[in-house]
Amino acid sequence: MENRNNEAISLQLFADAGDLVAGTENYVNANTGAVTNFDDTNTMKGELKSFYDTELLENARVEMFYAQFAKKQPLPANHGTTVEWRKWNTFDRAPKLQEGVIPTGQKFGMSRKSGTVSQYGTYAAISDKLEMRAYDPVILGATEEMGASAAETQEVLIRDGLLVNPNVLYCDNVNRETEAVISTPTTCAQMSAEDAGGWALLTDQMVNKAVTKLKKDKVPRINGKYYAVIHPSVAEDLRNCKGWLEAHKYAQPGEIMNGEIGELHGCRFIENVFAPVLEGEYVNQQGGATYATYFFGKDAFGIIDPEGGALQMIVKNKGQIGGPLEQFSTVGYKLETNGCTILYPERVLRVMSCSTYSAADKAN
């Protein structure tokens, strides 16, 4: 633009730099740095917030498999970020008494395990145009997807926390036709995923070996059964095993755990796409992926249930957060979690295997 004296004038001098969202507590003007608090008066109705909270929790719960086996420990508000799980020590069997001789007593005490919560969260902005013109209910759709994100976040944190437990078995390399054991690996690098060296698959024999180890370690069951969380690629191989029993054949729908697919040798299996698919230091003999199947006994690991820090939905409508022109809303969630704390190492058994998909699957 030019003025009457033909001097160039930049139109940008008359433009406001606008308000940019910074964090979730205020606006920061991009030009002046001035801070403006979000509008607290034009807020979402309580019943609508409750609806979205319910939607988030229900969608998250459908996708959560590990957490249903955890021992939950409450963390009251204003009590810091760390909790302790305490367990009594066990006693040896009693010796034969000698007449008039006082036996040596045993010490009674407890051990402690602690866990600390950290905060996690994410959000997405939804433009007013999309909100007004889209055929589908956008906020509800975003809430459903946030539920899936929240579940994945918690699943991966628990899964990775369990991976460090040293209680591990490696599947035997077996001939797939005769089921004869060719070799017994002690590392992932010794597990084979081809006919020449045998296949280190999770077979019914390996499930039996895992269950036997849990029994010998005196691991208490969960309602009379052990449970295992298994990746779909490994579950496909296991379904072909003799003795496999589909879940609908032994339990009513209300008695089946989330994700439960079947039972073998007194262990019930939960299928989970976020069960570990591992590469890097865990690759097999052919350089392909290996898989970790976790077998659980009762109260094997703990998760913290923080008061005021549980999973919650946060929806800010455009009247609250959308800036001077109310241009967008935001949908997000946050939660506090410790991932998981292993309470009894012998009650979490990690069984490493290959599968017929080892060459194709990528680490998750």
Side-chain angles (χ1 to χ4, degrees):
M1 175 180 177
E2 293 186 355
N3 62 10
R4 293 181 179 179
N5 296 323
N6 294 324
E7 294 173 347
I9 298 175
S10 173
L11 289 175
Q12 189 60 34
L13 293 176
F14 299 96
D16 189 305
D19 288 333
L20 302 179
V21 172
T24 57
E25 298 176 356
N26 51 51
Y27 306 115
V28 178
N29 187 287
N31 186 39
T32 66
V35 175
T36 303
N37 291 333
F38 289 154
D39 181 4
D40 289 328
T41 58
N42 191 16
T43 59
M44 183 175 296
K45 292 182 178 179
E47 58 268 24
L48 191 55
K49 181 184 186 306
S50 296
F51 170 76
Y52 286 130
D53 280 340
T54 301
E55 287 292 317
L56 176 77
L57 292 171
E58 287 182 352
N59 282 286
R61 196 175 294 116
V62 169
E63 302 293 334
M64 293 176 67
F65 305 100
Y66 290 114
Q68 61 189 332
F69 302 109
K71 182 177 182 180
K72 294 186 178 180
Q73 180 73 9
L75 175 60
N78 305 317
H79 279 68
T81 59
T82 301
V83 302
E84 282 188 347
W85 286 267
R86 300 178 182 180
K87 56 180 183 179
W88 302 113
N89 64 282
T90 57
F91 293 122
D92 295 331
R93 289 191 293 268
K96 182 179 180 180
L97 296 177
Q98 298 182 35
E99 184 179 355
V101 178
I102 300 174
T104 301
Q106 300 186 45
K107 292 183 178 180
F108 185 46
M110 67 170 59
S111 58
R112 296 177 176 87
K113 294 278 188 174
S114 63
T116 302
V117 294
S118 298
Q119 194 174 60
Y120 298 83
T122 189
Y123 74 96
I126 299 173
S127 71
D128 59 339
K129 187 173 182 179
L130 177 61
E131 199 172 343
M132 288 188 295
R133 305 303 178 194
Y135 287 105
D136 299 314
V138 179
I139 300 293
L140 182 58
T143 302
E144 293 174 354
E145 294 303 320
M146 284 293 174
S149 171
E152 181 175 344
T153 299
Q154 294 182 84
E155 285 290 283
V156 170
L157 287 170
I158 295 174
R159 176 198 75 184
D160 292 350
L162 294 171
L163 190 62
V164 304
N165 194 46
N167 194 21
V168 58
L169 280 179
Y170 297 90
C171 285
D172 294 327
N173 292 319
V174 299
N175 184 298
R176 294 184 68 183
E177 293 183 2
T178 66
E179 297 185 355
V181 176
I182 297 173
S183 62
T184 300
T186 57
T187 66
C188 290
Q190 296 173 359
M191 294 194 307
S192 179
E194 63 179 17
D195 290 329
W199 289 79
L201 302 178
L202 185 63
T203 61
D204 62 327
Q205 294 95 329
M206 283 306 306
V207 172
N208 192 23
K209 185 182 289 189
V211 170
T212 299
K213 179 170 172 49
L214 293 173
K215 291 177 180 177
K216 291 168 67 176
D217 289 341
K218 302 177 182 176
V219 175
R221 295 171 175 82
I222 304 169
N223 297 325
K225 301 289 182 178
Y226 293 120
Y227 282 84
V229 178
I230 187 171
H231 190 273
S233 295
V234 183
E236 180 178 322
D237 296 326
L238 196 59
R239 281 189 172 103
N240 296 323
C241 294
K242 56 186 178 183
W244 175 262
L245 189 62
E246 298 289 343
H248 70 272
K249 294 181 180 180
Y250 61 76
Q252 298 298 319
E255 300 171 346
I256 297 175
M257 300 284 276
N258 192 22
E260 188 170 345
I261 58 171
E263 181 180 336
L264 185 64
H265 293 304
C267 181
R268 293 185 175 184
F269 287 84
I270 310 297
E271 192 173 58
N272 183 1
V273 70
F274 296 115
V277 181
L278 303 165
E279 294 179 328
E281 62 182 295
Y282 297 97
V283 295
N284 60 34
Q285 203 172 83
Q286 286 71 41
T290 59
Y291 306 80
T293 301
Y294 294 123
F295 287 73
F296 298 113
K298 183 180 179 181
D299 296 338
F301 64 96
I303 59 176
I304 299 173
D305 184 14
E307 181 183 356
L311 177 62
Q312 61 174 309
M313 190 73 193
I314 302 173
V315 179
K316 301 284 187 180
N317 63 40
K318 57 183 179 288
Q320 287 178 273
I321 200 172
L325 297 181
E326 299 185 356
Q327 291 175 287
F328 58 88
S329 303
T330 60
V331 177
Y333 68 86
K334 66 179 180 180
L335 72 148
E336 290 182 335
T337 180
N338 62 317
C340 78
T341 300
I342 297 172
L343 304 179
Y344 297 88
E346 72 277 9
R347 298 186 188 184
V348 182
L349 176 60
R350 172 166 48 98
V351 178
M352 301 300 302
S353 71
C354 299
S355 91
T356 50
Y357 292 94
S358 283
D361 283 346
K362 299 301 180 184
N364 61 2

